[in-house]
Each structure stands twice: as C-alpha cells, then as structure tokens.
Amino acid sequence: MRWLASAAPEPDTCRWEWERHPLGVALLPAGRMWDVLILDGTLGHPTLQVLTRLLERPGPVLADHGDARIGFFVPPGTTGRWIGTGVRGAGSGSWIAVPHPGRTGHGVRWLVPPDGSGALTDPGLLELAMHEAAAGAARRPARE
C-alpha cells in the first residue's frame, strides 16, 4: 500500500480515502511512477492469461466495473512511445481511480494487485502477449 500511495501528491490523504471514503478509491496521477495501458476487456483478459503463463507475476492490473476495460501498469513514459492501435494510454497529466491494494473499490478492482515492490509489466512483453491473445481469438471459430 505504501508504494502505491506514494504516487499521490499527498500519500496520507490517499490512505485516508482508501480507508474511510465510501467509494474506497483514490485518484492517483499517472506518469510519475507508472503509466497505464488500457485494453478492451475482450483483449485484456486473454492478454493477462498469456502474461501469467509467461511470468510468475505480472505488474499490477486493474479492471473496471463489468471488466469492460483492463489496465496494465507499465513504466512511466510508455504511453508517449506506444504506437499500437486500440489501446488507450494514461500517462503524464492523467489520473486513475485506484482501489486499496487489498480491496475492491466502487466500480474498479484489482486483477493483479501491486505487491509493494514497484514491479511493473514490461511493455514489450505486454505487446507480445497482446499479439498472442489476438491470434488465439482469430483462430477460434466464430459463434453462429
């Protein structure tokens, strides 16, 4: 929790929001300690499955309400260099609604909570996992 809260301009306020605010989320600025690459859930979930086969533990991953969007925490500056289409980036100047690392917040939850080490997902590996997930989806027969 300390590592994640340290991204906030006022870490104590962040911890207060997690503990006492009814929504259980805090807004944290992206771009300083991490960026977030946001995928549509139909690609995000299979991408996470590929990553977890490749890594013991990927970096933090968030899902919004209904799992419509999946956010992968990557090193700062990644969104400014990302070229792929269909991926939204939250970098410098963006804010992310983040629940307490051990809980579900209102409308957002951790699929992979931060472990406190500051580990993030490597963007190159994330891109490869996205390609494999998309290729797997293309190989599946279409539903009638």
Side-chain angles (χ1 to χ4, degrees):
M1 181 168 69
R2 185 173 296 136
W3 173 80
L4 193 58
S6 69
E10 297 177 17
D12 290 338
T13 301
C14 175
R15 285 189 289 274
W16 181 91
E17 288 175 351
W18 281 334
E19 297 295 334
R20 295 178 186 87
H21 194 277
L23 298 178
V25 298
L27 285 176
L28 297 180
R32 193 178 113 224
M33 294 179 62
W34 37 260
D35 284 359
V36 180
L37 292 177
I38 304 164
L39 283 63
D40 180 84
T42 58
L43 179 59
H45 278 289
T47 298
L48 179 57
Q49 290 173 351
V50 172
L51 276 176
T52 55
R53 283 195 321 259
L54 299 173
L55 301 169
E56 184 175 320
R57 181 178 168 83
V61 181
L62 279 176
D64 71 354
H65 181 70
D67 290 1
R69 289 179 297 269
I70 309 297
F72 294 85
F73 282 55
V74 294
T78 299
T79 60
R81 296 183 304 273
W82 193 264
I83 298 173
T85 59
V87 178
R88 292 182 47 214
S92 185
S94 301
W95 293 76
I96 300 291
V98 178
H100 183 287
R103 302 187 190 125
T104 297
H106 183 73
V108 64
R109 67 187 176 92
W110 291 106
L111 297 177
V112 179
D115 64 5
S117 71
L120 301 168
T121 297
D122 176 86
L125 190 56
L126 177 60
E127 183 177 12
L128 291 173
M130 289 170 54
H131 287 290
E132 185 174 327
R139 285 189 299 269
R140 285 191 288 278
R143 293 183 182 178
E144 295 182 35

